[in-house]
Amino acid sequence: MKTSAGIIAALASVAHGLQSRDGPTPPGKWRISPIDGSKIALPTKQQLAFQDREMGVLIHFNMATYIDQDGCNSDPTLVPARSLFDPEQLDTDQWMDAIKSFGGKYATLVAKHNCGFTTWPTKVNFKDLAGESVSYNYTVAQSPVTGKDVIQSFVQSTDKYGFGHGFYYSVVVNNYLNVQLAHVRNETAAPGQVGITTDVYNDIVFQQLEELWGNYGNLTEIWFDGGYSGDQKDRIHALLQKAQPNAVIFGGCQDDGTCVSDKSIRWIGNELGHAEQENWSTGLTDSGASDSPWFTPSECDTTLQTDDRWFYGVDKPLRSLEELIKVYHETVGRNCVLALDMSPDRRGLIPDNHVARYRELGDFIRGCYDHPVQPSRRRASCDHGAYTLTFDKPAQVDRVVLMEDQANGQVIRTYKVWGRNGKNAAWSLLSNGTSVGHKKIDLFANPATVTEVMVNSTFVDTPKWRSVTVHKCS
């Protein structure tokens, strides 16, 4: 769930204005193309492993589950009562079953959203404006389910199911502490809020991040929604290196290349579940750039519920299976990791109709892509970037799945997919494009009957094809 564009722009300005020349700004890592001298950005093994996961969930389960608004974003004084948070039937294993049903491989949980409520029993203490030492008491420990640690239950379930796990923690908004844009508002604290200074706020943030990043295992992903302030950047970098050096970081880079990690993941620029046809594994914003020295794969976050609803909405309709299939093709099929929202209800369970929709999506993906049309022969050109599939008898196909080996960078710049039916028949163009990256799925305009499929490419270094498969799904 992305913070509003206005907050992102304001924080980017703050971060840029306060950055230090001596601060942690890991440069892009690259090698030089032996063909045209251009820079080829190099990945980390953690970034490639994250792309291999292809699909996961962003779980919105927090205080906002229990209010009508989709989060505490629109009212900076909104601090819902602790007594609302009451997931009597909490079952995080049931969440994992739903993730498994559609083929997800990781789960990132909202540990603290903008209301300020933490779903783990934080032990942080701080000084208020009166100088009194007080505990951070807007947590699950002060709710009707005191004694439960939602975070611990979640982590145990992800471990049990073999999923990677991560945390979303908003460092820039906290209504409970009267904070917006990473600064305490110049307004008197409203009922339910606690008055502090911005320096105290930042100390609270990092004490809670130390709890999250230090007590709940090795994280696959860490989410910074809306970025981070310049005051926070150096401390975030240092804490990441100490506590979670192998996690990929969503929102870890600013537009100017100032990063808190060389394992950053970038936002695709919308919440529609849509990447452009040309979407690179490199670049700092939106669809990326082929010549960028930063290897920063994209993640496409989107909702299961309609109208961009992230937290559970009572009787909120779901997006159709047809729309979700389109989302799959326009995210995973366009070199973007899909982070599909999951919104447990007020019982602490995934609603039955949500479970059914996840399963329907998984059934389609498995039915279409688990069983490619098998060729009798495969041949990859060592020098020319071509790949050929040959079939002993005519086969009908309606799509191709291309995968590039990016261990030494993304090098393919354009490609064309050709097909023909018969050794002496003319070649017909089935599809073409630019970026391949981790995965590119092209749906043909019409099904084709072929005895041979050939993929040609242009490149800045001889590519290694990880996989080329054709399928018949329609």
Side-chain angles (χ1 to χ4, degrees), residues 6-319:
I7 291 179
I8 294 171
L11 277 169
S13 175
V14 168
H16 180 73
L18 295 178
Q19 68 181 357
S20 166
R21 290 181 181 272
D22 298 324
T25 309
K29 296 180 180 179
W30 66 84
R31 63 185 178 96
I32 298 298
S33 163
I35 294 175
D36 64 4
S38 62
K39 292 178 180 178
I40 302 173
L42 296 174
T44 66
K45 64 181 182 180
Q46 292 85 359
Q47 290 170 317
L48 294 179
F50 188 69
Q51 286 187 298
D52 278 345
R53 294 181 185 274
E54 293 194 352
M55 295 189 296
V57 291
L58 184 58
I59 304 176
H60 281 77
F61 183 67
N62 204 278
M63 181 58 75
T65 302
Y66 296 86
I67 62 176
D68 292 335
Q69 300 94 317
D70 195 21
C72 291
N73 308 332
S74 58
D75 181 357
T77 66
L78 178 59
V79 183
R82 299 162 179 79
S83 60
L84 292 176
F85 190 83
D86 190 16
E88 291 182 339
Q89 300 178 50
L90 179 70
D91 184 352
T92 52
D93 279 358
Q94 189 247 7
W95 302 1
M96 302 302 123
D97 285 331
I99 298 167
K100 182 179 179 180
S101 74
F102 78 89
K105 297 293 193 298
Y106 72 96
T108 297
L109 175 65
V110 172
K112 183 199 74 67
H113 204 260
N114 295 343
C115 299
F117 186 84
T118 71
T119 52
W120 80 98
T122 179
K123 306 299 184 185
V124 171
N125 294 290
F126 58 92
K127 293 242 174 127
D128 63 15
L129 289 178
E132 298 292 327
S133 181
V134 296
S135 63
Y136 194 106
N137 62 6
Y138 192 51
T139 84
V140 65
Q142 289 79 43
S143 78
V145 289
T146 183
K148 288 189 177 181
D149 183 340
V150 176
I151 301 293
Q152 186 63 51
S153 177
F154 163 75
V155 171
Q156 289 172 347
S157 292
T158 57
D159 288 348
K160 176 179 177 180
Y161 282 72
F163 296 152
H165 72 278
F167 297 132
Y168 169 127
Y169 177 102
S170 172
V171 301
V172 299
V173 180
N174 187 318
N175 283 13
Y176 169 61
L177 298 177
N178 198 23
V179 171
Q180 300 287 315
L181 293 174
H183 286 77
V184 174
R185 297 169 64 235
N186 190 24
E187 302 284 346
T188 303
Q193 293 183 319
V194 178
I196 57 171
T197 66
T198 296
D199 285 344
V200 168
Y201 170 69
N202 281 325
D203 287 342
I204 292 169
V205 165
F206 285 97
Q207 289 179 66
Q208 291 188 337
L209 290 181
E210 285 180 355
E211 290 179 336
L212 277 177
W213 298 355
N215 297 334
Y216 296 101
N218 295 322
L219 303 183
T220 294
E221 181 181 37
I222 292 170
W223 254 67
F224 290 118
D225 192 6
Y228 43 83
S229 76
D231 290 336
Q232 298 167 336
K233 174 173 66 67
D234 290 2
R235 292 175 71 178
I236 287 173
H237 173 83
L239 185 56
L240 283 172
Q241 296 306 306
K242 172 187 173 183
Q244 293 292 339
N246 294 316
V248 298
I249 312 301
F250 180 91
C253 287
Q254 303 287 350
D255 294 358
D256 63 357
T258 301
C259 303
V260 294
S261 171
D262 63 351
K263 303 170 187 69
S264 292
I265 302 295
R266 75 176 191 272
W267 185 40
I268 197 62
N270 66 73
E271 296 179 343
L272 304 173
H274 171 82
E276 297 297 332
Q277 284 278 4
E278 183 172 323
N279 180 43
W280 301 96
S281 295
T282 54
L284 296 169
T285 61
D286 299 346
S287 297
S290 62
D291 59 351
S292 172
W294 284 272
F295 194 96
T296 49
S298 57
E299 185 172 16
C300 294
D301 57 320
T302 196
T303 62
L304 183 72
Q305 299 172 104
T306 58
D307 301 322
D308 202 35
R309 177 83 187 196
W310 293 91
F311 287 97
Y312 171 71
V314 178
D315 297 326
K316 190 68 179 174
L318 305 182
R319 296 164 79 176

